[in-house]
Amino acid sequence: MPPVEELLSTAVTAVGGAERPGQVKMAQAVEEAIRSGDHLAVQAGTGTGKSLAYLIPSIRHAMASKGAVVVSTATIALQRQLVDRDLPRLAEALAPELPHEPTFAILKGRRNYLCRYKASAGWPDEEQDQLFDPREVSTTGRMVQRIQEWAQETETGDRDELVPGVNEQSWRQFSVSSRECLGATRCPSGMECFAELARARAGEADIVVTNHALLAIDAMEDFSLLPEHDVVVVDEAHELVDRVTSVVTGELSEQTVALAVRRVGRLIEQSVSDRLLEAGEDLKSLLAAAPAGRLDELPDVLGLTLALVRDSAWGCVTALGPRMGGDKDDPEGAGLRKAAFTALDEVHDTAQRMLEAFGHAEEVDRAEVVWLEAGTERRPPLLRIAPLTVAGMLRDKLFGDRTVVLTSATLALGGAFDGLARQWGLGAGDEKDRRAGWTGLDVGSPFDHPRSGILYIARHLPQPGRDGLPEVYLEEITELIQAAGGRTLGLFSSMRAARAATEALRERLGVPLLCQGDDSTMLLVKRFAEDEPTCLFGTLSLWQGVDVPGPSLRLVVIDRIPFPRPDDPLSSARQRHVAAKGGNGFMSVAATHAALLLAQGAGRLLRSQHDRGVVAILDPRLATARYAGFLRDSLPPFWPTHDPAKVRDALRRLGAA
């Protein structure tokens, strides 16, 4: 087969692009990682063309090894870009140069596919949320009807192809998790199962595109969901730890217990299920009266209640009898039993896990954190449990026996890869890590950041307080937006701050001002991109999800350094745990989190070679605090200034150009 450089040149020419040094360097590094078996972390700035840089050597390896390469992404948007745009064009361009035209498939978790048997048999009826108001019940009913009509015509059963989308309440009535599934050999619809058909397609493909959640589940479960593979490419790798943490976070509430009781229903004696129902009621009363927040010690009454929930759930499991026995000729009954076992196992295992999270003599021995999350009008309070680190899990399960390439525009925080590498389990410095081997590579960006953008830090402003945006901040934002003629993306640390700024500035500005939550985020971003003077304010999802090249975006305003909230249970527990082991908890957790988001937010400004503008960070701590250098070194190398007059003049010149 032709070398990687030649294949890359062919592909770039076919898509009408220009070869970029960073792209070539990355492709060569990915090929070397695959050859050597060492892991690779690549920071590739926006515009590098990193998708082609990892797809070319991946396709070449898949052809040579006659196996698959798995590409994992964090977002549906990138999955769709790869499957609908990048891979089809690439396959067509490379076909004449390779043994056969490259093949590819997308694979998601089973919950994302319509279950034909559940749709036809109607087992088991999902819970009707008693907190829904009549209008929401009616909306869900209409969605259910739309799913039923779509089920008659869909060829893939993929939820993402149902447009417009439907809520989780309605979709759950037509889908099953992998643990609820009867299995292809026992299910009456097994031969035409959408999830199994997707797995079959993936098993024959050179490139399998999936998501971080399924990648984590595949690595950690005893059964394989993905085809056999020896290379994984993790795109949007800055989100890997959060996505894996989300997968392994457990929760327990009156709803999860009540669902298990409903699932077990008439399958066992009522007196046995009543004990679990009563334990759920005790849990409900206890959580309703308890303050929200992290639990460092296990209160006696909570310990007794959790033990009661656990033991009552196990009593129901025992009463159900053998998991696989005597129901081959009764698939509907088998479905009901499998769903009951799944719900009961979740309740039992989560309660047991929470009990085991306490009682350690030293903080360094603690492995997980438990916290109580306050309820809302639509959801009761619930207990959550999450690991303090997923590093060991990733090191053993994901990196253990395959080559992993991790890439993103934001990996080198503070100018180094070590921070994220430690979170991935690659950088702890022990003998096992040194043997595993990994390399960090920054291939730069095709953008000339110092000539294209200004980093303005408002050093003269007071430190942000906890009581909302000070008036001087609102005045500063007003002057900057007026100088830019609108064209501003406002990234705020909370929705409360975003809404407060929107309400205060709509009267002062002569340009349209949109706020996240006014409509779907996708539609708001579309309106923002299409009408140049328009401004868009929002919070976390906009920090990473906005791609608006051209004159519609000249100014990115960030109100404050996005540290995690001091009372965030998981973040605060992780900081304390790092400190107990002799590390710097603030820098390892809070500052790393802030650096990642700042870099992502600042990265919204330059999305094409012709973009120009300003990133304005109003928090003076970015200039004065002892950790400021670490945060600034995580940002793109814009031209820096503290002078507001220079910034306003530059924005006016841009507007007049």
Side-chain angles (χ1 to χ4, degrees):
M1 285 183 286
V4 161
E5 295 84 354
E6 188 177 320
L7 291 173
L8 180 60
S9 177
T10 299
V12 169
T13 301
V15 300
E19 197 168 271
R20 301 156 190 164
Q23 187 180 52
V24 175
K25 191 175 181 181
M26 178 176 172
Q28 292 170 336
V30 172
E31 181 186 34
E32 174 58 22
I34 293 173
R35 186 198 64 76
S36 68
D38 283 350
H39 307 303
L40 174 68
V42 187
Q43 177 164 284
T46 304
T48 301
K50 61 182 170 65
S51 296
L52 282 186
Y54 65 68
L55 286 173
I56 297 289
S58 296
I59 289 172
R60 194 178 187 280
H61 173 70
M63 295 273 183
S65 66
K66 296 182 171 57
V69 171
V70 171
V71 176
S72 177
T73 76
T75 60
I76 292 174
L78 183 54
Q79 280 184 26
R80 294 256 64 102
Q81 177 187 315
L82 289 172
V83 173
D84 296 341
R85 190 189 74 181
D86 295 350
L87 282 165
R89 292 196 297 180
L90 195 53
E92 183 179 357
L94 297 183
E97 310 291 329
L98 296 172
H100 64 259
E101 182 171 322
T103 56
F104 53 90
I106 189 167
L107 187 60
K108 306 174 185 179
R110 193 172 290 270
R111 270 280 183 205
N112 292 279
Y113 299 100
L114 181 88
C115 173
R116 287 188 186 272
Y117 180 54
K118 190 170 183 180
S120 61
W123 67 266
D125 290 331
E126 294 293 339
E127 71 276 19
Q128 291 298 317
D129 193 335
Q130 300 301 314
L131 300 177
F132 275 8
D133 63 33
R135 287 173 299 177
E136 288 177 292
V137 172
S138 176
T139 300
T140 298
R142 288 194 294 272
M143 289 182 177
V144 165
Q145 184 176 355
R146 199 150 57 79
I147 296 171
Q148 290 170 331
E149 295 169 354
W150 171 77
Q152 302 303 314
E153 59 190 40
T154 179
E155 296 181 1
T156 67
D158 187 338
R159 178 180 180 177
D160 291 330
E161 295 182 9
L162 180 57
V163 179
V166 295
N167 63 27
E168 187 64 20
Q169 181 75 10
S170 55
W171 181 254
R172 285 182 69 90
Q173 298 182 45
F174 296 87
S175 65
V176 295
S177 68
S178 56
R179 292 186 177 183
E180 293 170 319
C181 176
L182 286 172
T185 58
R186 303 174 71 219
C187 177
S189 302
M191 296 298 292
E192 52 183 4
C193 171
F194 288 123
E196 291 296 327
L197 291 171
R199 285 188 68 188
R201 287 192 294 270
E204 298 173 354
D206 298 311
I207 303 294
V208 179
V209 179
T210 188
N211 56 64
H212 295 351
L214 187 62
L215 182 69
I217 294 169
D218 179 74
M220 292 165 199
E221 293 283 3
D222 295 331
F223 50 87
S224 294
L225 299 170
L226 295 167
E228 190 172 331
H229 58 282
D230 60 359
V231 175
V232 176
V233 178
V234 181
D235 204 342
E236 301 173 307
H238 61 279
E239 292 200 49
L240 179 63
V241 169
D242 284 347
R243 298 299 172 113
V244 173
T245 300
S246 181
V247 166
V248 295
T249 295
E251 64 178 52
L252 191 63
S253 71
E254 63 169 278
Q255 284 188 334
T256 54
V257 176
L259 173 61
V261 173
R262 280 194 293 273
R263 288 274 179 90
V264 81
R266 301 172 187 168
L267 300 176
I268 62 174
E269 291 184 12
Q270 186 174 340
S271 60
V272 179
S273 62
D274 279 349
R275 285 197 286 274
L276 180 57
L277 184 63
E278 290 165 5
E281 290 295 325
D282 290 346
L283 182 67
K284 174 183 178 180
S285 302
L286 186 59
L287 298 188
R294 193 180 72 210
L295 295 172
D296 293 329
E297 303 294 337
L298 179 64
D300 290 342
V301 65
L302 178 58
L304 291 170
T305 304
L306 287 174
L308 182 61
V309 169
R310 176 199 62 194
D311 296 343
S312 301
W314 186 250
C316 293
V317 169
T318 303
L320 273 172
R323 292 178 181 254
M324 304 294 288
D327 49 21
K328 290 184 178 179
D329 297 326
D330 180 17
E332 184 172 349
L336 291 168
R337 287 171 55 78
K338 193 76 181 282
F341 275 123
T342 301
L344 290 167
D345 286 343
E346 182 180 347
V347 170
H348 173 273
D349 295 352
T350 305
Q352 177 64 20
R353 186 177 160 193
M354 288 176 174
L355 289 167
E356 292 175 350
F358 299 95
H360 302 289
E362 302 290 339
E363 175 60 33
V364 292
D365 298 324
R366 193 190 297 266
E368 300 202 280
V369 58
V370 178
W371 70 95
L372 175 59
E373 196 168 288
T376 65
E377 290 183 2
R378 297 178 54 183
R379 180 186 55 74
L382 55 86
L383 283 172
R384 289 189 185 274
I385 182 168
L388 287 166
T389 175
V390 295
M393 203 179 300
L394 287 172
R395 180 178 59 206
D396 296 339
K397 302 292 188 179
L398 179 60
F399 296 103
D401 56 359
R402 56 180 63 87
T403 301
V404 182
V405 175
L406 305 112
T407 185
S408 168
T410 312
L411 292 181
L413 303 178
F417 291 89
D418 296 356
L420 285 178
R422 278 193 296 271
Q423 294 185 14
W424 297 329
L426 296 179
D430 60 26
E431 185 180 348
K432 185 174 182 180
D433 285 322
R434 287 198 292 273
R435 282 204 310 270
W438 67 278
T439 304
L441 174 67
D442 184 354
V443 299
S445 166
F447 301 157
D448 187 347
H449 285 91
R451 290 180 177 273
S452 301
I454 296 173
L455 173 64
Y456 166 50
I457 302 172
R459 185 171 184 157
H460 62 285
L461 292 179
Q463 282 196 25
R466 296 186 178 182
D467 302 324
L469 289 171
E471 176 61 28
V472 288
Y473 275 51
L474 295 172
E475 292 172 359
E476 185 82 22
I477 296 172
T478 300
E479 292 173 356
L480 288 169
I481 291 177
Q482 288 173 339
R487 302 180 173 87
T488 299
L489 177 66
L491 302 176
F492 294 85
S493 53
S494 68
M495 269 315 302
R496 186 177 68 171
R499 291 193 188 101
T502 302
E503 292 173 8
L505 298 185
R506 268 183 175 149
E507 299 177 359
R508 308 186 193 187
L509 298 171
V511 295
L513 178 52
L514 308 174
C515 185
Q516 190 175 4
D518 291 347
D519 206 331
S520 76
T521 299
M522 184 177 68
L523 289 176
L524 289 173
V525 172
K526 186 172 184 289
R527 289 168 60 188
F528 172 60
E530 291 175 349
D531 184 32
E532 284 188 24
T534 296
C535 301
L536 174 60
F537 287 1
T539 184
L540 191 60
S541 60
L542 296 186
W543 287 70
Q544 304 181 77
V546 174
D547 186 7
V548 179
S552 292
L553 178 51
R554 294 292 195 211
L555 172 64
V556 175
V557 174
I558 297 175
D559 69 329
R560 64 191 298 158
I561 298 171
F563 291 121
R565 288 171 55 98
D567 59 354
D568 178 83
L570 184 54
S571 173
S572 60
R574 283 177 166 172
Q575 288 186 59
R576 185 181 61 180
H577 189 66
V578 170
K581 296 172 73 173
N584 187 323
F586 172 79
M587 292 302 294
S588 295
V589 180
T592 296
H593 172 91
L596 195 55
L597 278 180
L598 275 178
Q600 287 285 311
R604 299 310 96 198
L605 181 66
L606 303 184
R607 308 304 294 178
S608 76
Q609 295 269 15
H610 306 292
D611 289 348
R612 303 287 185 273
V614 172
V615 174
I617 301 176
L618 307 185
D619 192 333
R621 293 175 295 178
L622 195 59
T624 60
R626 57 181 171 76
Y627 49 78
F630 171 78
L631 297 179
R632 291 196 303 271
D633 287 344
S634 305
L635 296 172
F638 297 118
W639 183 79
T641 183
H642 302 307
D643 188 337
K646 285 184 179 178
V647 172
R648 291 194 294 268
D649 287 344
L651 287 169
R652 291 188 190 99
R653 286 196 298 272
L654 272 178

